[in-house]
Amino acid sequence: MANILVASYYSRWDLAEHNGRIALYDSSNQLIENHLFTHPAEFQVVASMLRHEKPLWFDTEVKHLRTGSEPVGEWES
């Protein structure tokens, strides 16, 4: 299992084809994952995590995006 810290991302939503793509990159700007989304709600959830949570980790074995340990109810700055 490889948990890789997500340092940056690229996202797009294709208005004609009605699908989205999100690519995740590590601190060396190496591609970690490049995922196609066909459901708008799923795309929105992942985009929201990328915008609002830090740190984020990607597990390359099971394809999970997860947050780091955070105290319950902590407001982020």
Side-chain angles (χ1 to χ4, degrees), residues 12 19-22 33-39 42-43:
R12 69 151 175 84
N19 61 41
R21 181 163 301 277
I22 295 178
E33 173 73 6
N34 189 4
H35 192 83
L36 178 67
F37 295 86
T38 57
H39 299 287
E42 184 182 11
F43 178 86

Side-chain angles (χ1 to χ4, degrees), residues 3-6 24 55-59 64-69:
N3 283 301
I4 301 172
L5 181 65
V6 178
L24 307 175
L56 278 177
W57 299 87
F58 186 77
D59 184 323
H64 287 174
L65 183 63
R66 66 175 181 82
T67 62
S69 297

Side-chain angles (χ1 to χ4, degrees), residues 11-60:
S11 66
R12 69 151 175 84
W13 184 261
D14 188 322
L15 297 174
E17 298 296 322
H18 308 288
N19 61 41
R21 181 163 301 277
I22 295 178
L24 307 175
Y25 297 92
D26 68 12
S27 60
S28 301
N29 206 33
Q30 295 295 307
L31 182 66
I32 302 169
E33 173 73 6
N34 189 4
H35 192 83
L36 178 67
F37 295 86
T38 57
H39 299 287
E42 184 182 11
F43 178 86
Q44 183 60 39
V45 166
V46 174
S48 179
M49 284 182 74
L50 290 163
R51 281 194 308 267
H52 301 293
E53 299 295 335
K54 203 170 190 180
L56 278 177
W57 299 87
F58 186 77
D59 184 323
T60 58

